[in-house]
Amino acid sequence: MIGNSIESYWKKFQDSNPEYLSIKQPQSFYFCDKEENANECTELVVKKIKQATSPSVWWFKKNKVSFPKVGDIAIVTNWYGEPKAIIKTTKVEIVKFKDISSEYAFTEGEGDRSLDYWKIVHWNYYKGEMEEFGESPDEEMGIVCEYFVTIW
């Protein structure tokens, strides 16, 4: 059921944006690891407030997933897998946790958009995802700063 919903969402987007007709349906995902946060981030993307995301380099390596690239398209869903927005990657850079800027934290758009908020929330997130593997974050770890625009 959800798959069809995502397929119809993509088809509707393509019908309204013929320049994307030759592109196969992209990946779909939600942000964060908890329902409340995932749904909140999705709403921020829809409102074009959240325009970046920050997975760790550790996560990409641990999961053997390729880094995002400029031009990548993705369908953002809520926690339940319902499609809510389509984003396009505009810039990708790897920055050490300790070097994340207040401008970047603002662009990511979460909470009060401050660097202090960003550091606390993301540190706890990285800590949570690494703990089950007996690992922990550090100030030198690489963060994949993926900037995007909401195109639908």
Side-chain angles (χ1 to χ4, degrees):
M1 197 77 132
I2 287 174
N4 288 338
S5 174
I6 290 172
E7 288 172 17
S8 343
Y9 191 82
W10 178 247
K11 177 76 173 108
K12 190 174 178 182
F13 168 74
Q14 287 181 308
D15 289 346
S16 297
N17 298 276
E19 66 271 27
Y20 292 94
L21 283 172
S22 64
I23 297 174
K24 69 178 188 161
Q25 181 180 311
Q27 68 169 329
S28 61
F29 62 85
Y30 54 82
F31 295 102
C32 305
D33 60 349
K34 293 180 178 68
E35 180 179 348
E36 180 183 352
N37 298 339
N39 292 338
E40 182 180 320
C41 283
T42 298
E43 283 307 308
L44 292 172
V45 170
V46 169
K47 293 175 182 174
K48 300 182 179 184
I49 294 169
K50 179 174 179 60
Q51 298 288 275
T53 189
S54 311
S56 64
V57 169
W58 175 92
W59 183 88
F60 284 96
K61 289 181 177 178
K62 188 61 85 178
N63 292 287
K64 297 179 172 75
V65 173
S66 300
F67 290 120
K69 301 178 305 304
V70 170
D72 284 354
I73 305 282
I75 300 169
V76 177
T77 71
N78 63 13
W79 182 257
Y80 302 105
E82 300 165 334
K84 298 294 181 182
I86 297 177
I87 60 174
K88 185 175 187 175
T89 303
T90 58
K91 179 179 175 182
V92 179
E93 58 185 358
I94 297 174
V95 178
K96 290 180 181 179
F97 183 90
K98 69 177 188 174
D99 295 330
I100 294 292
S101 69
S102 56
E103 293 80 16
Y104 180 78
F106 185 84
T107 301
E108 189 158 332
E110 297 174 23
D112 67 3
R113 301 176 86 171
S114 70
L115 182 57
D116 287 342
Y117 178 90
W118 187 96
K119 285 191 170 190
I120 291 167
V121 168
H122 286 80
W123 186 267
N124 290 336
Y125 178 81
Y126 303 136
K127 184 177 177 193
E129 73 178 356
M130 293 177 169
E131 268 178 344
E132 66 181 277
F133 297 95
E135 299 179 50
S136 57
D138 65 66
E139 291 279 329
E140 296 291 324
M141 72 179 188
I143 304 303
V144 179
C145 297
E146 179 182 1
Y147 296 79
F148 57 81
V149 291
T150 302
I151 59 174
W152 179 261

